[in-house]
Amino acid sequence: MSIAIQSNAQSALLSSLDQATGALVNPFEYSISKRIKAHGKSTYRVQPTNAGATTPGTTLSWDLPKSGFIRSMTLKFEVECAADAANQLVIPATGFLNSIERVNIESSSRRILTMDRAAIMCAYSDLGKEQRDAFERGVGMHGKGSTKYTANQAASSANGTSIEVFMPLLLSCCDASNQSLQTGFLEPIRVSITWASSFNWARKREAGADTYADYSITLSRPELIVDSILLPPADEDATISANFGAGPLSSLVYDYESETDTNATMSALEAEGATITKEIKSTACATDIYFW
């Protein structure tokens, strides 16, 4: 008998629950009276309201349709570049995540959730191994998927040779059921992506001379892939009541705040002992603190 089963057998709480009428469900035995209620799952692609805003420093926006509880959102876009003989596209270890500066969730012109690039990296660091691998493949981190762009050829949407990037938005509303955005109940929701101020992190490497220079890239065909859960009206009302029923119509949310940068100069190359001190100015209740 495993340690977990032995522990459960000695638990007074589980013993009380086991004695409750109708509380037991054998997960290996089908019973129509104890199945999960019928519900729906919808995955759809949302087109931006300003599709042309894909240049550095611009903001791209999507208005989410009213379709159940949002469970996940993924930014998808394509990267294009011209062919450059004897040169190869080189990107940093953080991949095409460098394309964006910030992600905002807005409602009635109010920002309710935000993540900058550093916050996304912090959330990524909390993922499990398989989830991190999937995230890395989607945004081309650590050279994953580099076969798409290391060849000396053009990347073009028209020719079907562009580099596709899939970037999961690791917002707290996509991390727990009680944080989900209930689009049918909440005011209209807008997702905004602010692109990085420059795309000069994309470099070209000349194979023969081993030198580097700027490599001009463009972004195209952005869209938002949204996954939502659809519940029957009675279950939807009960869920909303559970999430918002305590006192005023408000709920606890988890957000990220980035403190202002602190700079320090090391006394010598690779010198040990350099100290950086940072006073946290935020007045929020901190559950985690990350060093970036």
Side-chain angles (χ1 to χ4, degrees):
M1 184 181 294
S2 71
I3 295 176
I5 298 299
Q6 290 178 349
S7 177
N8 289 345
Q10 297 171 5
S11 170
L13 174 61
L14 291 181
S15 176
S16 298
L17 291 175
D18 288 348
Q19 295 173 13
T21 303
L24 295 179
V25 175
N26 186 344
F28 307 103
E29 180 179 299
Y30 180 77
S31 174
I32 195 167
S33 63
K34 296 181 179 179
R35 63 180 175 82
I36 297 175
K37 289 186 177 181
H39 63 282
K41 180 178 180 295
S42 176
T43 301
Y44 50 91
R45 296 171 181 256
V46 185
Q47 301 304 316
T49 58
N50 53 338
T54 55
T55 55
T58 59
T59 298
L60 195 64
S61 299
W62 292 264
D63 291 331
L64 297 185
K66 290 187 174 295
S67 178
F69 293 79
I70 302 299
R71 295 299 295 124
S72 68
M73 291 183 286
T74 301
L75 170 65
K76 186 255 182 184
F77 60 91
E78 298 181 14
V79 179
E80 302 181 68
C81 58
D84 197 336
N87 290 327
Q88 296 178 346
L89 174 63
V90 178
I91 62 175
T94 45
F96 293 102
L97 178 62
N98 294 278
S99 303
I100 71 169
E101 179 64 32
R102 182 176 300 276
V103 180
N104 286 333
I105 301 290
E106 303 163 1
S107 179
S108 298
S109 300
R110 294 177 293 108
R111 189 179 69 188
I112 57 177
L113 289 174
T114 183
M115 293 186 82
D116 59 15
R117 191 185 316 132
I120 294 175
M121 282 295 295
C122 293
Y124 149 81
S125 72
D126 282 337
L127 297 176
K129 175 64 168 61
E130 293 182 353
Q131 292 172 302
R132 288 200 308 271
D133 286 344
F135 187 91
E136 292 165 3
R137 288 194 300 271
V139 299
M141 292 175 65
H142 307 304
K144 293 186 177 180
S146 60
T147 53
K148 300 176 183 177
Y149 54 81
T150 51
N152 302 326
Q153 61 184 13
S156 167
S157 295
N159 297 332
T161 58
S162 61
I163 305 165
E164 289 189 327
V165 178
F166 294 88
M167 186 182 302
L169 304 184
L170 304 178
L171 295 149
S172 61
C173 61
C174 301
D175 191 42
S177 58
N178 64 338
Q179 298 285 317
S180 297
L181 297 174
Q182 209 297 308
T183 57
F185 173 72
L186 300 173
E187 296 174 324
I189 297 171
R190 168 169 288 190
V191 179
S192 297
I193 302 287
T194 300
W195 300 108
S197 58
S198 171
F199 294 158
N200 61 7
W201 45 267
R203 308 284 284 169
K204 62 181 178 181
R205 173 181 177 271
E206 186 175 353
D210 198 22
T211 58
Y212 293 84
D214 290 342
Y215 202 159
S216 177
I217 65 171
T218 57
L219 309 185
S220 64
R221 300 186 179 182
E223 59 184 1
L224 197 64
I225 304 174
V226 181
D227 188 26
S228 66
I229 299 296
L230 309 173
L231 299 179
D235 293 333
E236 182 173 310
D237 292 343
T239 304
I240 293 172
S241 177
N243 289 345
F244 295 93
L249 288 178
S250 61
S251 63
L252 178 67
V253 297
Y254 292 84
D255 205 0
Y256 291 81
E257 294 186 21
S258 293
E259 294 281 339
T260 55
D261 295 342
T262 298
N263 300 317
T265 302
M266 301 180 72
S267 59
L269 181 63
E270 298 181 355
E272 296 182 359
T275 300
I276 298 178
T277 302
K278 173 64 184 176
E279 180 183 356
I280 297 178
K281 301 294 185 181
S282 172
T283 57
C285 178
T287 59
D288 295 283
I289 298 177
Y290 301 86
F291 176 74
W292 162 263

